[in-house]
Amino acid sequence: MQLVSLDDIRTAADRVRGEVLRTPLLSAPWADADRPLWLKPENLQPIGAFKLRGASNALAALDDRTRRQGVAKGQGVVAYSSGNHAQAVARAAQRFGVPAHIVMPEGTPQVKIDGTRLYGAEVVLVPLAERESTAFRLVDELGAALVPPFDHPDIIAGQGTAGLEIADDFPDVELVLVPVSGGGLASGVGTAVKALCPNAAVYGVEPELAADAADSLRAGHVVEWPVADRARTVADGLRAQPTELTFAHLRAVLDGIVTVTDDEICEAMRVLATRNRLIAEPSGAVPLAAYLHRSGELPRGRTVVVVSGGNVDRAMLADVLG
């Protein structure tokens, strides 16, 4: 299986320039002195999450003829997502003038549904277990192009542009913490960081209630968790599981993976809001939860935490902040 390369990520960076925000590294002066901390705030992207990187690269990689035919025939693109990829594809499709149909699971935070519709996409709500099958059915019915949330080289390369920026801005980084769900972000960021900062460790972080990637890496093959089990975690954006493609990348680029509890995730959300004035959704706070609560399982040194998204319902945020 051919893995995404640093050259692929650099090509993606050229494609998405002007479409995504080059997010800064923000220092965290409250962090431990022997573990200096910087935050990569992907929650500041126009759609509130890193997913815009992969979606923009995937839409840009479609050849012009495919895009023109999609507009002329009303075919466009189809995506399935718990929310952030949905908004990302909707925005990228709008920028390219392509119709978008987005399949989202029932129970998705309303802020993510509203955000997707804001960019003109048609939203189809289905039970969580049916989102992929519904998306494939729409692809067949419409003759549309599928833009998967993580299982595609163009998506992985696009997400990897965040790692490219980390390496450019902080070549002396010693540890990068990144959330893991389907694995596209960790695959791309890990590929870029390991290529450009070979002395840095890259660790994935998962919720304990959706720790299928951790199980898979221990077993040496993809271990499937039932959908109902993965749906228990408060981190609604981390309920997917790796594919053979992303798992191959994770095995190649991750130095380790740790898990955190839902209570620890909520505490990390509070820390981000009160100490760095950053609003993070549960999925976006997962890597910081590892920094705060799993220090004994991680290398020490200069650390970057990827805050992957900030699309959280107001009611939940109010509850977390107390």
Side-chain angles (χ1 to χ4, degrees):
M1 181 182 299
Q2 184 171 352
L3 303 185
V4 168
S5 69
L6 180 61
D7 285 343
D8 295 327
I9 295 172
R10 284 176 165 154
T11 297
D14 290 337
R15 287 189 183 129
V16 304
R17 189 170 292 114
E19 298 296 327
V20 304
L21 177 67
R22 193 188 196 287
T23 54
L25 289 180
L26 305 178
S27 64
W30 48 266
D32 294 343
D34 63 341
R35 294 190 301 146
L37 176 65
W38 286 261
L39 307 172
K40 180 70 168 170
E42 288 296 292
N43 57 318
L44 300 182
Q45 291 292 347
I47 59 97
F50 76 95
K51 290 284 191 177
L52 187 60
R53 296 175 181 271
S56 296
N57 187 49
L59 266 291
L62 290 175
D63 63 86
D64 288 339
R65 180 183 178 191
T66 298
R67 285 197 294 267
R68 288 197 304 271
Q69 287 178 342
V71 174
K73 299 179 181 179
Q75 295 166 329
V77 295
V78 170
Y80 57 91
S81 167
S82 60
N84 287 332
H85 180 64
Q87 295 176 83
V89 173
R91 183 182 187 272
Q94 184 185 67
R95 299 277 288 186
F96 282 106
V98 176
H101 296 77
I102 313 294
V103 181
M104 305 178 75
E106 296 168 351
T108 294
Q110 191 62 42
V111 64
K112 295 183 178 181
I113 296 173
D114 293 343
T116 303
R117 288 175 172 153
L118 177 68
Y119 295 110
E122 179 177 334
V123 172
V124 181
L125 296 174
V126 299
L128 178 62
E130 298 177 15
R131 63 178 185 171
E132 293 185 35
S133 60
T134 302
F136 286 118
R137 176 176 57 79
L138 285 173
V139 167
D140 289 340
E141 291 178 357
L142 300 171
L146 179 69
V147 183
F150 46 84
D151 190 31
H152 195 282
D154 290 335
I155 298 293
I156 294 172
Q159 317 305 25
T161 60
L164 198 66
E165 293 170 11
I166 292 171
D168 285 346
D169 291 344
F170 196 8
D172 295 328
V173 63
E174 294 173 288
L175 173 63
V176 177
L177 299 177
V178 58
V180 177
S181 180
L185 177 63
S187 296
V189 168
T191 297
V193 170
K194 298 302 282 188
L196 295 170
C197 307
N199 294 324
V202 180
Y203 271 64
V205 189
E206 274 190 311
E208 284 186 357
L209 296 178
D212 50 291
D215 273 1
S216 299
L217 288 167
R218 281 192 293 267
H221 59 83
V222 174
V223 175
E224 295 190 5
W225 280 35
V227 172
D229 287 355
R230 287 182 273 124
R232 295 173 299 165
T233 179
V234 68
D236 61 281
L238 300 184
R239 293 171 178 167
Q241 59 184 18
T243 62
E244 293 295 338
L245 176 63
T246 55
F247 182 65
H249 283 81
L250 297 179
R251 292 189 71 183
V253 302
L254 290 188
D255 295 282
I257 189 166
V258 298
T259 63
V260 293
T261 68
D262 276 16
D263 286 344
E264 290 164 347
I265 294 168
C266 291
E267 171 61 20
M269 291 175 66
R270 286 190 288 271
V271 169
L272 286 167
T274 58
R275 296 187 180 180
N276 270 88
R277 308 302 186 264
L278 289 176
I279 301 302
E281 62 189 275
S283 305
V286 162
L288 182 64
Y291 175 90
L292 295 172
H293 300 285
R294 297 292 182 272
S295 61
E297 302 175 45
L298 298 169
R300 306 187 82 78
R302 296 177 293 272
T303 302
V304 169
V305 159
V306 179
V307 182
S308 58
N311 293 312
V312 57
D313 272 336
R314 293 180 183 179
M316 181 187 184
L317 180 62
D319 184 59
V320 167
L321 296 180

